[in-house]
Amino acid sequence: MSKQLGIYVNQQFCTGCKTCQIACKDKHDLEVGANLLRLKEFSGGGFTRVGEAFEPHVWAYWVPVYCNHCTAPTCVAACPVGAIHKSAADGVVSIDPDACIGCRICLDSCPYGSLQFSEKEQKAKKCDLCADYRAEGKEPSCVISCPMRVLGWGEVETIQEEHPEAVTGLRGLPDPDVTRPNTLYTPHRHALREAGHE
């Protein structure tokens, strides 16, 4: 593989507005229930009574979940007809809609739940990092739409150089050692994975 493309998320400043999710859904004209990008919220904490007042110890963070264009994609291995492939040129994982038979095996194979099923088309669908936009020299729709400018994309090696603090594993997401995802996060302080915690 000559390069590996990936996504960068500066999670510290994500406000959970879901503009990326809406832009993706609109761009791909997805039906109700199908989302190639889903914004998940994680929250916790509580309050401590201090005299007559309450002191907050609450927190929340959001994680955009979509295809990670993994180095070891389970969906590619699971597809019985070879409709899903990982590009040797840029590492992007995509589905050939003409080859897909709609068996849904790939949906169950992905630990992130990134693949979706179109009832209308009877085919599996997934993020391809907006291949058509990239071919025109544009950025993916989620990146263009983010009002907080927390999303980016590019070669993983470059992202790692520019953001050495970035990680691939967060609390609430599957173990990154399973598929070796190529989405990198500058994490919210509450999102860092800890030993023995998910």
Side-chain angles (χ1 to χ4, degrees):
M1 185 178 320
S2 57
K3 61 182 177 181
Q4 172 65 61
L5 295 181
I7 297 166
Y8 169 70
V9 182
N10 188 337
Q11 191 191 34
Q12 301 173 102
F13 302 109
C14 175
T15 62
C17 71
K18 297 192 177 181
T19 303
C20 56
Q21 180 176 310
I22 294 166
C24 176
K25 191 173 185 75
D26 181 57
K27 192 260 179 194
H28 294 285
D29 194 26
L30 298 172
E31 62 213 70
V32 173
N35 293 294
L36 304 186
L37 189 166
R38 300 173 328 280
L39 199 70
K40 293 180 74 173
E41 177 184 326
F42 297 91
S43 58
F47 297 84
T48 303
R49 186 168 190 136
V50 180
E52 296 300 312
F54 289 90
E55 184 177 287
H57 304 285
V58 296
W59 53 268
Y61 62 85
W62 294 268
V63 182
V65 178
Y66 34 0
C67 179
N68 295 295
H69 304 287
C70 301
T71 299
T74 51
C75 58
V76 172
C79 181
V81 295
I84 307 174
H85 69 280
K86 184 170 178 67
S87 168
D90 58 21
V92 170
V93 178
S94 57
I95 299 175
D96 177 353
D98 295 327
C100 177
I101 59 173
C103 67
R104 307 186 197 203
I105 292 172
C106 59
L107 275 70
D108 293 330
S109 75
C110 177
Y112 294 89
S114 297
L115 291 98
Q116 301 287 294
F117 188 76
S118 169
E119 294 291 345
K120 181 173 62 179
E121 298 176 31
Q122 289 294 296
K123 304 277 185 181
K125 298 181 82 74
K126 65 178 292 302
C127 162
D128 62 3
L129 209 54
C130 288
D132 54 345
Y133 276 15
R134 290 186 291 113
E136 296 170 10
K138 297 188 213 173
E139 295 187 316
S141 62
C142 57
V143 175
I144 296 169
S145 67
C146 178
M148 298 302 290
R149 300 295 179 252
V150 303
L151 299 176
W153 72 284
E155 291 189 41
V156 169
E157 189 175 306
T158 303
I159 294 171
Q160 289 170 328
E161 288 171 1
E162 294 175 352
H163 305 282
E165 78 290 347
V167 298
T168 56
L170 299 173
R171 291 182 69 179
L173 293 183
D175 183 346
D177 289 340
V178 175
T179 63
R180 304 201 319 270
N182 288 299
T183 300
L184 291 98
Y185 303 89
T186 294
H188 185 279
R189 66 187 182 280
H190 291 289
L192 286 168
R193 290 176 67 95
E194 298 173 21
H197 294 87
E198 286 304 309

